[in-house]
């Protein structure tokens, strides 16, 4: 089943074409890798799916509906949640507050109810608290709950950013180079985390430089080069695709 | 009538411009705002005035005193209010300079009294009459000095090593740091330049209006800030152009619409400019990258 | 348990402080207390906007003034009863706040600061020049005394009771707001707009609402002020008044709600205590602001709780407020 579909997506930056007529189908429950050399347009494409950029042309369907006109935050409400390559946490928030923040769109108490601390706010806040602690436990950060997020190790900050995204109950999780800056063992735990998320039925789009990681977890890979899609397929197909080898890797084969 | 208003407006605009370029330099390089620039203008004016009186009418030495005192005050301001908060929220420097401005006004009031002091020499004696437009000597002097200083500032920024470093620092402070530019010194130079221009401006304005008083920098610095924003904070040419046009607009508004609404008109235009182009008419946008 | 005991202790202290004016029972003391109350509401609302949401609103006194003039005109010239005028002036100020928010959305950081300063300046210039409406520079005299459900409020003591209730309500409202998911959303906007949007916060909507609610409370305090003094003039709402409010929240701690109450209280009371210094007062006031920001970057509450914390744990935790000493000033400069 198709969860998201990109049709003819193009993007210009002041006359310079960053993406040209990209078609891509994201299957429900899969892990979709997005790779390409620097400047290929993967981050641009990613930002168009998340709603940080507007596309210049084409259409973007999510669960069958066009969502191109929706803002970034509205897409979060539909279940499209992203992380950032350079980790964007809230400097003044505790670890627990970060996860609570993830529940923002799932809660419904309005301003009046919050200001007067009515019953539904009260109930909702304790529900958020409980669920957040539960989620922190699940990702193994419960011992840091009251700490400032900026005092966490780099690997744990990544983990927290993903936990915050998970708290928003995504249907489609967009991971922007989650392995960037992580050491070998941290990449291993990240890999496990991605598998766990996948096991819960959450669809993932993964932009990544770390080839091994992408090849290992993705069931579908799209390769971009100079703003165009040059190949698509399973890890094996991509690994043996002559165009990919020539365009993307220069010479030689992909090592795994 | 029209040329007369434009001449008045250009004089006013020149007075704004010398302060506005200072705001532009400081805001452009640090992305922070200072609220004591009007008081640096004021102490420059007072030190110039009292030097001139003490030396029996020596204008060049008066200007020199204004330059020295205001430049020193500017460097000190940078040390106290800005250096401890580099790369932090602009709120702390804003608050400290508010405090400095209150205490500088109070300090001068304690030293010299609250009354308005006149400029002891008649500077409007010489008049140039062109048709029915009258240009007084002081107007020529104010506009002339401003143009001279602006040209010098332009040459300094575009044709000296320090100027290059200044421009580099305002483009990207971290990058300048990496390139081996001593950003501390550059920022101090920016404050020094901005402040000495303010000091000279203070003396000019005091002489032009023949009025020196502790709060003389309050209204004019707000106008100059508006002018700088109008033209584009961070751009020197923008600040000059913005300040000059603000002066002319005000003067025309006072002449043709209503004297009491000229300030309302000036600030309203500024708000509209901010809305249409938040970086000002000639400013560059700083985009936030995702 | 400990938290609970601390809370009860704080409540006892609060009740004790509130009851001080009754014990002294002096008109002048009540007057200062009422003025403190007005500034407490103003600085709490400014803190929610500037401290919690990170919106550089440098013209808060304009909202205060709009509430004051609205309420004065509604009662004086239209004959509305106080309670109606009070609420209407709050709502009207909130409406103006929303109108200001729409353009303010486009401005960030120092540009928002400059824009809101211009707004404050325009308000003062208009209230000075629209003489037929505002009485011009001379201001509006003879604003009727408030009467609450038939009871005329004339005694300073009654004003004091009223403003204390208002301060408590304001505190409760903002405290609830900040504790809720909406408060977290506001703080997330301050910390990182892009990340806030990426987790689903509708930034536009939140900024408009925060402008509206903070303007509402600023308007209420303006209305109270107008009826309390029964005379207002443009100089009450000048830009310097906005700067005073900023000094109050800096003293109490940016993003610290109870801090704003303490900060406003101190900065209203201190100048009164030092009245004998006369001309030196302003000088000291200015230097106080400088020293507060340099020495107490977390505000007075942050400093005190930092000290208490240090005593309890007797160890220096990373991120605790810096030590209060001459060396710190020298170091920071």
């Amino acid at each position: 089943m198709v969860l998201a579909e990109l049709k003819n997506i193009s993007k210009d930056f002041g006359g310079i074409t960053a993406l040209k007529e990209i078609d891509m189908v994201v299957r429900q429950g899969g892990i979709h890798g997005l790779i390409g050399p620097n400047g290929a347009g993967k981050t641009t494409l990613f930002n168009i799916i998340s709603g940080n950029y507007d596309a210049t042309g084409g259409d973007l369907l999510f669960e069958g509906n066009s969502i191109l006109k929706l803002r970034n935050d509205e897409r979060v409400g539909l279940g499209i949640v992203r992380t950032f390559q350079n980790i964007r946490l809230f400097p003044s928030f505790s670890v627990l507050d970060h996860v609570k923040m993830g529940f923002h769109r799932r809660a419904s108490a309005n301003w009046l109810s919050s200001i007067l601390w009515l019953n539904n706010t009260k109930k909702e806040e304790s529900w958020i608290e409980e669920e957040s602690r539960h989620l922190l436990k699940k990702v193994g950060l419960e011992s840091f709950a009251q700490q400032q997020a900026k005092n966490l190790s780099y690997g744990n900050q990544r983990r927290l950013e993903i936990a915050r995204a998970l708290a928003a109950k995504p249907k489609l999780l967009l991971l922007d180079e989650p392995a960037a800056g992580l050491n070998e063992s941290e990449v291993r735990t990240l890999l496990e985390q991605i598998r766990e998320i996948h096991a819960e039925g959450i669809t993932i789009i993964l932009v990544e430089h770390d080839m091994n990681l992408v090849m290992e977890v993705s069931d579908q890979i799209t390769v971009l080069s100079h703003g165009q899609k040059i190949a698509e397929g399973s890890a094996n197909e991509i690994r043996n695709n002559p165009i990919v080898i020539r365009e993307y890797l220069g010479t030689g084969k992909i090592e795994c | 009538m029209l040329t007369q208003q434009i001449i008045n407006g250009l004089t006013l605009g020149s007075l704004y411009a010398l302060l506005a370029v200072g705001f532009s330099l400081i805001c452009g390089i640090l992305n922070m705002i200072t609220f004591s620039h009007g008081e640096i203008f004021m102490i420059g004016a007072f030190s110039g005035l009292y030097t001139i009186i003490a030396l029996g009418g020596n204008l060049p030495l008066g200007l020199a005193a204004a330059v020295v005192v205001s430049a020193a005050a500017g460097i000190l301001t940078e040390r106290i209010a800005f250096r401890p908060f580099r790369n932090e929220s602009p709120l702390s420097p804003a608050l400290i300079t508010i405090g400095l401005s209150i205490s500088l006004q109070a300090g001068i009031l304690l030293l010299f009294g609250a009354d308005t002091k006149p400029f002891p020499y008649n500077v409007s004696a010489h008049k140039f009459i062109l048709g029915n437009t009258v240009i007084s000597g002081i107007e020529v002097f104010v506009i002339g000095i401003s143009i001279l200083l602006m040209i010098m500032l332009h040459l300094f920024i575009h044709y000296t090593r320090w100027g290059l470093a200044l421009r580099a620092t305002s483009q990207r402070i971290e990058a300048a740091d990496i390139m081996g530019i001593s950003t501390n010194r550059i920022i101090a130079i920016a404050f020094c330049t901005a402040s000495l221009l303010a000091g000279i401006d203070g003396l000019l304005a005091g002489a032009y209006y023949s009025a020196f008083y502790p709060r003389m920098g309050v209204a004019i610095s707000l106008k100059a800030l508006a002018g700088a924003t109008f033209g584009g904070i961070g751009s020197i040419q923008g600040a000059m152009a913005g300040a000059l046009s603000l002066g002319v607009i005000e003067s025309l508004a006072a002449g043709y619409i209503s004297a009491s609404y000229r300030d309302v008109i000036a600030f309203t235009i500024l708000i509209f400019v901010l809305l249409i182009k938040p970086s000002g008419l000639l400013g560059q946008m700083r985009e936030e990258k995702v | 348990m400990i938290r609970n005991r601390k809370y009860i202790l704080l409540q006892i202290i609060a009740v004790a402080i509130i009851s001080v004016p009754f014990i002294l029972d002096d008109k002048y003391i009540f007057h200062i207390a009422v003025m403190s109350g007005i500034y407490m509401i103003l600085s709490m609302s400014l803190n929610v906007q500037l401290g919690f949401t990170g919106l550089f609103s440098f013209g808060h006194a304009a909202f205060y003034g709009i509430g004051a003039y609205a309420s004065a005109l509604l009662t004086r010239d239209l004959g509305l009863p106080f309670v109606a005028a009070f609420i209407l002036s709050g709502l009207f100020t909130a409406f103006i706040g929303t109108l200001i928010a729409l353009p303010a959305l486009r401005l960030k950081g120092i540009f928002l600061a400059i824009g809101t300063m211009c707004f404050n300046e325009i308000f003062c210039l208009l209230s000075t020049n629209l003489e037929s409406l505002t009485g011009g520079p001379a201001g509006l005299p003879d604003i009727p005394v408030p009467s609450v459900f038939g009871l005329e409020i004339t005694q300073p003591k009654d004003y004091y009771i009223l403003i204390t209730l208002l301060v408590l309500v304001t505190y409760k409202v903002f405290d609830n707001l900040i504790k809720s998911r909406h408060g977290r959303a506001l703080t997330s906007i301050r910390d990182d707009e892009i990340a806030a949007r990426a987790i689903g916060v509708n930034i536009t909507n939140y900024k408009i609402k925060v402008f509206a609610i903070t303007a509402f409370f600023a308007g209420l305090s303006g209305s109270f002020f107008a009826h309390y003094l029964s005379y207002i003039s443009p100089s009450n709402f000048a830009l310097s008044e906005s700067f005073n409010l900023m000094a109050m929240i800096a003293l109490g701690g940016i993003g610290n709600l109870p801090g704003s109450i303490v900060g406003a209280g101190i900065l209203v009371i201190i100048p009164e205590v030092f009245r004998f210094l006369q001309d030196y007062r302003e000088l000291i006031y200015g230097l106080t602001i400088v020293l507060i920001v340099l020495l107490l970057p977390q505000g007075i509450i942050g400093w005190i709780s930092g000290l208490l914390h240090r005593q309890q744990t007797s160890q220096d935790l990373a991120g605790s407020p810096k030590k209060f000493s001459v060396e710190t000033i020298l170091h920071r400069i």
Side-chain angles (χ1 to χ4, degrees):
Chain A
M1 209 180 89
V2 177
L3 180 66
E5 190 175 359
L6 283 72
K7 285 182 172 169
N8 259 325
I9 288 284
S10 295
K11 175 71 183 171
D12 290 350
F13 284 111
I16 297 159
T17 308
L19 288 174
K20 205 176 164 208
E21 293 160 10
I22 305 287
D23 287 313
M24 192 171 112
V25 171
V26 181
R27 267 175 270 164
Q28 172 93 51
I31 298 180
H32 196 122
L34 197 56
I35 59 171
N38 274 333
K42 18 183 225 311
T43 305
T44 308
L45 188 62
F46 191 88
N47 279 327
I48 286 171
I49 302 171
S50 68
N52 289 86
Y53 290 168
D54 291 328
T56 321
D59 203 1
L60 171 59
L61 303 180
F62 184 73
E63 296 182 317
N65 305 312
S66 173
I67 58 161
L68 217 46
K69 293 231 161 61
L70 297 184
R71 288 188 315 267
N72 186 190
D73 58 275
E74 290 172 318
R75 294 186 201 187
V76 175
L78 292 181
I80 304 174
V81 190
R82 69 169 291 171
T83 64
F84 293 90
Q85 183 186 340
N86 45 352
I87 309 186
R88 279 180 176 270
L89 294 175
F90 303 116
S92 71
F93 278 41
S94 70
V95 168
L96 181 63
D97 281 340
H98 272 92
V99 181
K100 283 185 173 180
M101 199 60 222
F103 285 84
H104 182 72
R105 279 270 168 176
R106 293 170 66 191
S108 62
N110 61 22
W111 276 58
L112 194 64
S113 155
S114 292
I115 283 169
L116 303 175
W117 212 251
L118 299 181
N119 248 335
N120 65 337
T121 296
K122 225 184 287 177
K123 266 188 213 148
E124 213 168 66
E125 285 297 324
S126 58
W127 168 72
I128 291 174
E129 169 99 21
E130 204 175 304
E131 290 280 309
S132 300
R133 287 193 182 275
H134 185 70
L135 189 66
L136 272 184
K137 202 175 225 167
K138 215 166 85 178
V139 297
L141 289 172
E142 80 269 33
S143 55
F144 302 106
Q146 295 306 333
Q147 277 199 30
Q148 295 262 288
K150 61 181 176 202
N151 297 335
L152 294 183
S153 72
Y154 196 77
N156 278 339
Q157 289 193 9
R158 267 278 176 238
R159 196 175 261 276
L160 176 59
E161 201 194 22
I162 295 174
R164 179 179 68 187
L166 288 177
K169 212 174 188 183
K171 290 173 185 158
L172 176 61
L173 179 64
L174 306 166
L175 298 175
D176 191 359
E177 302 208 18
L182 299 186
N183 63 34
E184 193 78 11
S185 77
E186 284 171 337
V187 171
R188 284 292 114 195
T189 31
L190 174 72
L191 204 68
E192 264 170 49
Q193 200 183 359
I194 291 176
R195 290 223 167 92
E196 278 167 26
I197 295 166
H198 179 229
E200 285 176 27
I202 296 169
T203 311
I204 296 171
I205 296 182
L206 183 67
V207 171
E208 190 47 70
H209 260 120
D210 187 328
M211 270 307 182
N212 295 340
L213 187 84
V214 178
M215 293 293 177
E216 210 174 319
V217 299
S218 306
D219 45 38
Q220 182 84 354
I221 296 173
T222 299
V223 188
L224 295 180
S225 178
H226 300 293
Q228 279 174 309
K229 186 167 90 174
I230 57 166
E232 196 163 55
S234 69
N236 253 331
E237 287 163 4
I238 294 299
R239 211 174 275 141
N240 300 316
N241 186 318
I243 305 170
V244 175
I245 293 169
R246 198 178 59 236
E247 282 271 332
Y248 178 43
L249 296 147
T251 53
K253 65 182 186 88
I254 299 170
E255 285 182 26
C256 264
Chain B
M1 172 76 171
L2 182 65
T3 36
Q4 184 72 60
Q5 295 293 356
I6 289 176
I7 296 286
N8 293 348
L10 283 177
T11 316
L12 191 61
S14 301
L15 292 175
Y16 291 161
L18 288 177
L19 274 175
V21 290
F23 276 118
S24 200
L25 267 173
I26 294 170
C27 297
I29 208 163
L30 288 172
N31 216 0
M32 287 176 171
I33 191 167
T34 173
F35 287 105
S36 55
H37 208 50
E39 279 58 47
I40 287 179
F41 164 97
M42 182 268 295
I43 58 173
F46 269 82
S47 45
L49 174 71
Y50 280 92
T51 309
I52 290 174
I53 292 174
L55 298 178
N58 193 327
L59 184 67
L61 275 181
L63 281 172
V67 165
V68 171
V69 173
S70 53
I75 291 171
L76 214 60
T77 308
E78 194 270 326
R79 277 284 175 143
I80 298 172
F82 290 85
R83 194 165 295 183
F85 304 100
R86 191 114 359 118
N87 304 325
E88 285 177 33
S89 156
L91 198 57
S92 305
L95 282 164
I96 295 186
T97 49
I98 287 171
L100 283 177
S101 114
I102 295 172
S103 28
L104 281 171
Q105 282 174 31
I108 293 293
L109 187 134
L110 287 171
L111 282 175
F112 299 107
D115 54 316
T116 300
K117 284 146 199 76
F119 193 63
Y121 304 96
N122 184 2
V123 285
S124 306
H126 296 285
K127 285 201 195 316
F128 305 90
I129 297 168
L130 303 164
N132 46 13
T133 307
V134 184
I135 311 171
S136 68
I138 183 76
E139 283 177 325
V140 176
F141 188 65
V142 166
I143 297 176
I145 293 256
S146 298
I147 292 175
L148 185 71
L149 288 172
M150 293 300 163
I151 292 172
M152 282 167 65
L153 181 65
H154 182 82
L155 294 177
F156 172 68
I157 285 182
H158 287 273
Y159 298 99
T160 66
R161 217 159 48 87
W162 291 119
L164 179 68
L166 202 72
R167 278 182 293 147
T169 311
S170 66
Q171 282 294 319
R172 239 201 137 82
I173 202 157
E174 312 86 24
D177 242 341
I178 295 164
M179 295 301 290
I181 294 170
S182 160
T183 45
N184 274 347
R185 193 182 297 175
I186 293 303
I187 291 165
I189 287 175
F191 268 85
C192 183
T193 315
S195 304
L196 69 89
L197 291 175
I200 296 173
D201 196 28
L203 187 55
L204 290 178
Y208 178 59
Y209 293 112
S210 190
F212 293 79
Y213 54 101
R215 288 181 60 80
M216 68 188 282
V218 176
I220 195 171
S221 61
L222 192 60
K223 287 294 185 52
L225 179 59
T229 317
F230 183 53
I233 286 242
S235 145
I236 300 292
Q237 280 90 347
M240 290 182 202
L244 284 174
S245 16
L246 191 67
V248 174
I249 290 168
E250 263 186 41
S251 180
L252 292 177
Y256 291 98
I257 304 172
S258 150
S260 48
Y261 281 99
R262 59 167 216 187
D263 292 350
V264 179
I265 292 164
F267 286 120
T268 311
I269 290 176
L270 171 66
I271 288 189
F272 275 107
V273 170
L274 275 179
L275 293 183
I276 296 157
K277 193 158 179 287
S279 55
L281 291 177
L282 299 175
Q284 281 179 340
M285 278 301 268
R286 287 185 189 211
E287 288 224 22
E288 205 169 359
K289 251 193 107 183
V290 177
Chain C
M1 205 36 212
I2 296 164
R3 210 195 171 101
N4 217 345
R5 222 159 46 196
K6 220 175 182 176
Y7 190 65
I8 290 167
L9 186 70
L10 280 176
Q11 280 185 325
I12 291 169
I13 293 173
V15 170
I17 292 174
I18 290 170
S19 52
V20 166
F22 291 109
I23 297 160
L24 298 172
D25 200 18
D26 179 276
K27 274 196 173 174
Y28 176 63
I29 300 283
F30 274 121
H31 169 68
I32 293 171
V34 170
M35 289 312 295
S36 305
I38 290 169
Y39 280 101
M40 283 170 187
I41 297 168
L42 285 169
S43 51
M44 276 192 279
S45 60
L46 178 61
N47 206 352
V48 168
Q49 194 175 25
L50 199 153
F52 286 93
T53 321
L55 291 167
F56 277 20
S57 172
F58 281 32
H60 205 57
F63 294 121
Y64 176 41
I66 290 168
Y69 274 101
S71 194
L73 293 172
L74 286 172
T75 48
R76 219 180 73 120
D77 299 349
L78 297 179
L80 255 66
F82 167 72
V83 176
F86 180 69
I87 291 164
L88 278 178
S89 57
L91 291 175
F92 178 70
T93 315
F95 169 68
I96 299 289
T98 316
L99 289 186
I100 294 299
L102 294 173
L105 289 170
R106 288 177 56 87
L107 304 176
K108 281 211 173 79
I110 59 170
F111 293 103
L112 180 57
I114 295 170
T116 46
M117 278 163 63
C118 287
F119 162 63
N120 199 153
E121 203 58 22
I122 290 172
F123 169 75
C124 279
L125 290 164
L126 285 179
S127 57
T128 312
N129 287 311
L130 294 172
E131 282 192 35
S132 56
L133 190 66
T134 63
L140 279 180
D142 305 327
I143 301 163
V145 283
S147 69
V148 180
F149 305 117
L151 287 169
E152 279 219 338
I153 312 262
T154 49
Q155 292 305 307
K157 195 192 280 180
D158 303 332
Y159 280 105
Y160 176 64
I161 294 169
L162 212 58
I163 195 74
T164 304
L165 288 176
L166 205 56
V167 169
L168 291 176
V169 168
T170 311
Y171 176 76
K172 200 69 202 147
V173 162
F174 283 136
D175 190 48
N176 284 344
L177 177 65
I178 285 158
K179 280 191 304 195
S180 74
R181 79 179 172 109
H182 301 297
R184 284 193 294 276
L186 293 176
T187 318
S188 76
I189 293 173
R190 176 191 71 190
D191 277 11
D192 187 339
E193 281 200 12
I194 291 174
R197 218 181 293 136
I199 203 65
V201 179
N202 183 344
I203 308 237
T204 310
N205 186 300
Y206 271 90
K207 282 186 179 172
I208 292 173
K209 278 184 177 156
V210 91
F211 258 99
I213 191 170
T214 54
F216 177 77
F217 280 96
L220 290 188
S221 60
S223 163
F224 190 92
F225 173 75
H227 293 277
Y228 171 60
L229 283 192
S230 85
Y231 164 75
I232 51 173
S233 74
S235 64
N236 294 130
F237 316 108
L239 197 52
S240 56
E241 203 65 3
S242 295
F243 291 167
N244 281 341
L245 294 173
M246 286 165 60
M248 287 170 186
I249 66 169
L251 175 59
I254 306 283
N256 185 325
L257 198 60
S260 293
I261 294 184
V262 177
I266 292 177
L267 284 190
V268 172
I269 293 166
I270 292 275
E272 296 294 331
V273 174
F274 290 103
R275 212 170 248 287
F276 65 91
L277 289 172
Q278 293 170 356
D279 289 347
Y280 287 89
R281 256 192 338 168
E282 283 285 295
L283 183 70
I284 292 168
Y285 182 66
L287 292 176
T288 314
I289 298 175
V290 175
L291 291 179
I292 290 166
V293 184
L294 284 176
L295 294 175
L296 309 174
Q298 321 242 10
I300 199 157
I301 299 270
W303 175 58
I304 291 172
S305 63
L307 282 184
L308 292 177
H309 198 146
R310 211 193 314 268
Q311 269 175 3
Q312 275 173 7
T313 57
S314 72
Q315 70 182 77
D316 228 347
L317 289 165
S320 72
K322 295 203 177 71
K323 252 189 272 166
F324 182 78
S325 70
V326 180
E327 288 97 279
T328 22
I329 321 182
L330 294 177
H331 175 73
R332 286 189 81 86
I333 293 171

